[in-house]
Amino acid sequence: MLLCGPSGSGKSLVAARSGLHVLRLDDFYKEGDDPTLPLVAGSSDIDWDHPDSWDADTATAAILDLCRTGRTKVPVYDIALSARTGEESVDVGRTPLFIAEGIFAAEIVPRCRELGVLADALCLSRGPVKTFRRRFLRDLREGRKSVPFLLRRGWRLMRRERSIIARQVALGTHRCDRDEALSRLARAAVGRSPATAPTP
């Protein structure tokens, strides 16, 4: 199960409430000194919301490992440091279903579908203002970046939220709110919703 949506849309909360094993795709961010990191147009800020700031190949490989063997090694990423600080094991055992969640999950929907490992792909949508508030308070509480950076990023993402969701839907996700996402996850967990072709 791939779970995406704008930063602050509640992906981690939905994943936790589902009761399923979770793979955090945000741990596959590139490190802050990577020369391939994209910049925000007209700024010296790194664009952490651009797919090129994320290692899609390594994330997909981890998903395949979990599907095939039930376990994999993943990086431990510190967002405040923009760096990988270690490695940990993820073990989903013999469960046929787990959630891979992160803001870039939609980017690998086509690849996971082609590989035959996709059960469903969901895009959470809460509305730009609610998402802005939740994201800012979370990032401030966790000390993810400086306050000026968080405000610049938050304003930019609020203005772009509709286009972000439109792109994720175009990549093959189903747009939904928290309650519908939890319902689809529950149905998939009991084998009643294979959802091989998510619809916009």
Side-chain angles (χ1 to χ4, degrees), residues 124-163:
L124 287 183
S125 175
R126 297 166 57 94
V129 175
K130 288 182 179 179
T131 302
F132 171 89
R133 182 177 181 276
R134 187 180 187 279
R135 176 176 54 241
F136 180 74
L137 292 177
R138 177 203 65 193
D139 292 351
L140 191 63
R141 182 176 64 250
E142 297 179 4
R144 291 190 171 193
K145 302 290 179 186
S146 70
V147 172
F149 180 93
L150 294 178
L151 288 171
R152 290 194 302 272
R153 177 183 182 239
W155 176 247
R156 184 173 67 251
L157 289 179
M158 185 171 69
R159 289 183 298 165
R160 291 177 48 207
E161 180 156 325
R162 288 183 177 84
S163 64

Side-chain angles (χ1 to χ4, degrees), residues 1-4 20-21 23 25 63 67 96-101 105 117-122 181 184-189 193-195:
M1 302 287 292
L2 290 174
L3 180 62
C4 67
L20 297 170
H21 291 286
L23 175 66
L25 295 179
I63 289 172
C67 290
L97 195 70
F98 64 92
I99 296 174
E101 65 92 3
V117 296
L118 183 64
D120 202 354
L122 308 178
R184 287 174 73 105
L185 289 168
R187 291 199 306 271
S193 180

